[in-house]
Every structure is written in C-alpha cells, then in structure tokens.
Amino acid sequence: MHDRAEFVSFYGNSLKLIKCSGKVAEAYKFVVAAGDASLWQVYPELQKPNSRMSVESVLASGLPRNVTIDPGPSNECRSLLLFSTERGLGVIETRTGRALSPIADSDRALLLHQARHDALTGLANRRQFSSDLEVNLPVSGRRMLALMQIDLDDFKPVNDTLGHGAGDIVLKVTAERIQAAIGDGAAAYRLAGDEFAVIQYADEQPAAAERLAESLVRAFKDPFTIDGISVFVGASVGIAIAPSDGDDAEQLMKAADIALYAAKNDGRGRARTFNRSMMIMLEQREMLRRSLRVALQEQQFLIEYQPLVEIGAGIIGFEALLRWRHPYAGVVPPSVFIPMAEADGLMGDIGAWVLEQACREASRWPSHFIVAVNLSPAEFLRAGFTDRITEILDEVAYPAERLELEITETVLLERTTDNLDTLHTLEVLGIRIALDDFGTRYSSLSYLQNFPFDTIKIDKHFIKDVETNPKSQTIVRFIIGLAHGLGMRVSAEGVETLGQASWLRRKRCDRLQGSLLGAPISSEALREFLRQSSFEML
C-alpha cells in the first residue's frame, strides 16, 4: 500500500522481511529473491554496534531513529529512518548522490514519517489513509478491499470525568488492541479523536472483514485500567466493501459511515456491514429531521400522561410524555426524534412548549396531584433555563411545588458547578427534582452527596426481571436503601406485573409507574378519567 518510488520495507518481530516496495526489491534483488530475508541481510551495515543499538532502541521505545550507513554499490549516500510498526520494524531508505548533508537527508525522512503518522498512537494518520485508499482504488483482480470505520463508545465521559490524560491512555491502548487484532493484508489508521479505520485485502469478502470486525469488537469487551480504575469503552464498526459498495474513496467512506451509524443505532458495541436498506433508512431519517423543524409550528406534537402511583396512597399525579404524530410517517418514537431535536438545537423550544402545556393541563387536576416533566440535557444546559421555568409557572399560575422535573445523569457530566447551581435554584423555587434512569449511565454517589434530589427513579432495566434475578434484586435493594438513607423517595419505572409490584412493595419502594398501573393516555382521555373518578376537581 506504499509508493513504489520509495525505498520502504517492513520486518516482523523476528526482523524477517514481510514486504517491501518495488525499489527495495530491485535494489536488493539478490537478497530478497532468495526468500526468508532478514533486516541484517538487506542492511548488513546495521549489525555494527552503534547501528544495532539504534535498532534495539526503536523496538524497545517505539520512537523513530535515523541511521546513516555506508554508500551502496551506486556510491550514493544512504540514510535509514527506523520506526516501529504494529508487527515489528519499518525502514525508509533515503538516497542522494548530491553533496548534501546526510543529517539533512535524515531530517527529510523523519519529517516524511511524522507527516504520515499519528504522534500519540503511532498509527498511520488520515493523510496516509487517504493516500492508501486513492492508490488502491479502484480494485483489480479477485482480491476485494474492505474499509472498516471504528468509533469508540462512551469515550467522551472518560475525558469529562477522568481528564484528557486518561483519554490519551485509552487511545494508545486502543491502537494496541486494533494492531493486535489485524493480521497480514490489513492496515490500521487513526483518523481523528476517537475515530479509527482499518483497510483489509482478502479474497472472500465480506466474510473476512466481518470476522475481523467481530474480533475488533471483542477486543474492547475488557476494561481499560487507568490509575487502578476500570473504565469500559466499547467499539462500534461499520464495514464497506469495494467494489460492491463503491469503487472510489468517497463512495466507500460514505458507505462505511452509514454502516457505522447503523451499528451505533442498533445499540453500539457491534459491527454492521453496509447494505442498501441502510441508505433508505438514512434517507427516511433525514426526511424526519427536516420535518421536525416545522412540527412545532404545525402542532404535530402531543402529550400523553402516565399515572404515578404512590404505594398506600394511589394516584398522586401523572408524567407528561411527548409524542410526535407525523402527517405521513405516523407516530414517531421519542427515542428517534429527541436526539435529532437536541442535535439541531430545537429542544429548547420544544421543551418549553411541553412544560407549558403540561402545567396548563395539570392546573385542572385535583390540587394534590403533581405533573412530572422530563428535561433533556440540551434544554437544561441552555442559558436562562431557570428564568424560562419561572415565566411559564407565572403565566400558567401553576404552583411550583406541584411540578417535578426529571433529569438524567448525563446532565451532570457537563459544567458540574453551573449545573448544581441551577438545581439549587430550582430547589429554592420549590420545584421537585427527580434523578431519572439511575444506575444505567455514569452513576456517581457524589451527585447524591452534592445535591439532595427529591426522588430517585430506578430504570425499568432493573425492574423487568426483579422477581427472578438475584443481581437485579441486589441493585434495587441497594438503591432503595441508599435513597431512604439520604432522605429521598424512590420510584420504580416499567412495572408490568403484580409480582414486580408486590416485590417492590415489600422492599419499601415509594412509587410505581408502568403498564400495570396505567398506560399513557391522551389529555382528553385523562380528563374523562378524572370526571368519572372520585377525585375532587379544582
């Protein structure tokens, strides 16, 4: 995959020649043609004590070194740049017959290496990646080229919580794991940040690429250890094959990007191979994204309400759940459109509309009922957030103590000091604060220590098998005991069976929510329910 006009050769861990450019093969044809050639046979000058020490230094430290050797038969000055590779040693030979300083020539070779390799991980960089794709496309012959785009999952929280030094360690180890997983006929690259790529040649594609991609995913199942702390960072892989998915760099990269998006959308920590249906799904998603910009103006959003049941007291209020009824696509799940709205900066306006509508609806309920409203991180971090909350409550004339705002732990990962100030302001206003999905993301007990939440909500992931799974039971008992010990109430989401409800009641869970207690209903159905019930209406 290297320019045939350069003297480039690669040697394995035993310093046996693996591959070389056409220039090396031609210049040292008697050695190379004999087979099983070693570094010492191609460049016997490196066996001199000082030069041999340079080779050993590169292998031990991973840092490149320049070595000037005697002129060859052509009587040209020769300089070797020695650098470590994923499988051993690489050599770039520079020749000149001009009266130039060998040091200057060595500097040129070093600059060439630095320009094509990532300084942190030692992998080839985006520039080399682009060059290799251009040189090897379009493909010819039976061997097909596979491009794998690799993204790290949950890498950002490592930087946010442990610092960029920890992030650098993860990136270095990532490069090592990728290098260990790939074999002959493949090359690894760091493109940018936590984005990596692999180019693989094989006769049987996509089978060979899919095997390698699964190996890459498995390589990230083990934790990264940073200063004694175990950190789990997974990998998602998108695969595209040339020529079937594209026979030029732009087409192939686009196909691999789409496959990577599909891998992340399917739950991350997995590999996906590009197919045409992914393109159709992406086009549909972009259609929804464009439609989302006018959904609020055209009143396509609606709110459904799910009962909140206090054990021993019955219904104490409802949670407001946002829905989008698209005129052509039908009802679009929140898990699809809310990330779009956050990414496009629309969640602030949508969130304000939800809060106002929910408070207006709740003002018609019995005076002891509360309304719970979810806040997205994008909405919470927006400037002037608490002022908008106050304005809405004043406009609707809704008591602050009857409003419960639900936030996730993701909110607390960004700008911690400002976020805690915002939460304390809401507390002073009398608004209740619930920590949603506790235990599913980046749970830290310091959150509970620094801010006294009113309620902790246990995610439905732990509730679905709480009757039979001892691990889920232990986690739920721990959360309930922890919350009560800190003077907080506990709410369980996703309660679907009497067995779950009974178990939670015995463990002194305070509040239940789920299909067993009542499915989400429209505002009209809710009003009819309240009219037919014995609740005292305002």
Side-chain angles (χ1 to χ4, degrees), residues 413-434:
L413 289 175
E414 305 280 349
R415 301 191 322 213
T416 304
T417 302
D418 290 347
N419 291 349
L420 291 176
D421 287 344
T422 298
L423 291 173
H424 282 296
T425 300
L426 296 173
E427 181 188 28
V428 170
L429 292 173
I431 296 171
R432 308 182 193 203
I433 306 294

Side-chain angles (χ1 to χ4, degrees), residues 225-500:
T225 303
I226 303 171
D227 295 332
I229 301 172
S230 292
V231 176
F232 287 89
V233 176
S236 297
V237 184
I239 305 168
I241 308 298
S244 58
D245 299 331
D247 216 6
D248 63 49
E250 184 176 353
Q251 287 179 333
L252 202 62
M253 289 181 66
K254 182 178 180 181
D257 279 336
I258 292 172
L260 176 62
Y261 171 81
K264 287 183 170 291
N265 198 46
D266 286 348
R268 305 189 301 179
R270 63 197 67 210
R272 290 290 180 265
T273 304
F274 175 80
N275 60 57
R276 298 300 168 187
S277 64
M278 292 178 181
M279 180 71 79
I280 295 171
M281 291 179 63
L282 185 64
E283 291 171 350
Q284 291 174 340
R285 181 178 175 83
E286 288 306 307
M287 180 272 291
L288 288 176
R289 186 185 292 277
R290 291 190 295 271
S291 301
L292 189 57
R293 293 192 169 275
V294 299
L296 193 58
Q297 299 172 352
E298 298 183 359
Q299 300 180 346
Q300 295 174 9
F301 290 119
L302 58 101
I303 300 175
E304 293 184 335
Y305 297 88
Q306 186 168 35
L308 305 173
V309 176
E310 189 98 13
I311 293 178
I315 295 177
I316 60 161
F318 296 85
E319 179 179 355
L321 301 171
L322 177 63
R323 302 288 187 259
W324 179 20
R325 183 175 289 123
H326 189 276
Y328 306 112
V331 177
V332 182
S335 59
V336 172
F337 73 81
I338 286 180
M340 293 181 189
E342 290 176 336
D344 290 353
L346 303 174
M347 205 58 222
D349 292 338
I350 294 173
W353 178 86
V354 172
L355 182 62
E356 180 179 348
Q357 294 300 312
C359 288
R360 288 189 186 280
E361 186 67 34
S363 65
R364 307 176 185 181
W365 301 347
S367 59
H368 64 283
F369 274 16
I370 66 169
V371 64
V373 179
N374 291 278
L375 292 178
S376 79
E379 187 181 358
F380 185 88
L381 296 171
R382 196 178 180 191
F385 169 70
T386 54
D387 291 338
R388 285 193 297 278
I389 296 285
T390 303
E391 290 171 3
I392 289 172
L393 292 175
D394 289 343
E395 182 179 345
V396 179
Y398 187 74
E401 62 272 14
R402 290 179 55 199
L403 173 62
E404 181 171 277
L405 296 178
E406 297 186 4
I407 68 168
T408 64
E409 292 160 303
T410 306
V411 168
L412 301 175
L413 289 175
E414 305 280 349
R415 301 191 322 213
T416 304
T417 302
D418 290 347
N419 291 349
L420 291 176
D421 287 344
T422 298
L423 291 173
H424 282 296
T425 300
L426 296 173
E427 181 188 28
V428 170
L429 292 173
I431 296 171
R432 308 182 193 203
I433 306 294
L435 183 58
D436 199 8
D437 299 340
F438 184 77
T440 60
R441 294 180 182 268
Y442 316 108
S443 303
S444 171
L445 298 183
S446 64
Y447 301 157
L448 306 183
Q449 182 182 36
N450 292 330
F451 183 80
F453 295 94
D454 296 281
T455 303
I456 294 178
K457 299 190 72 174
I458 306 174
D459 188 74
K460 59 186 178 182
H461 172 78
F462 302 112
I463 303 301
K464 64 182 180 181
D465 59 354
V466 77
E467 297 175 77
T468 57
N469 189 331
K471 292 183 179 180
S472 294
Q473 292 173 354
T474 299
I475 291 171
V476 172
R477 279 198 303 265
F478 167 76
I479 296 175
I480 292 173
L482 176 67
H484 287 169
L486 294 172
M488 304 174 190
R489 304 181 72 77
V490 182
S491 179
E493 297 181 292
V495 180
E496 299 179 351
T497 69
L498 284 171
Q500 293 169 346

Side-chain angles (χ1 to χ4, degrees), residues 1 116 126-136:
M1 294 183 181
R116 295 182 177 182
R126 181 179 286 275
R127 178 178 180 180
Q128 185 66 55
F129 168 77
S130 299
S131 174
D132 286 351
L133 269 188
E134 291 292 342
V135 166
N136 290 283

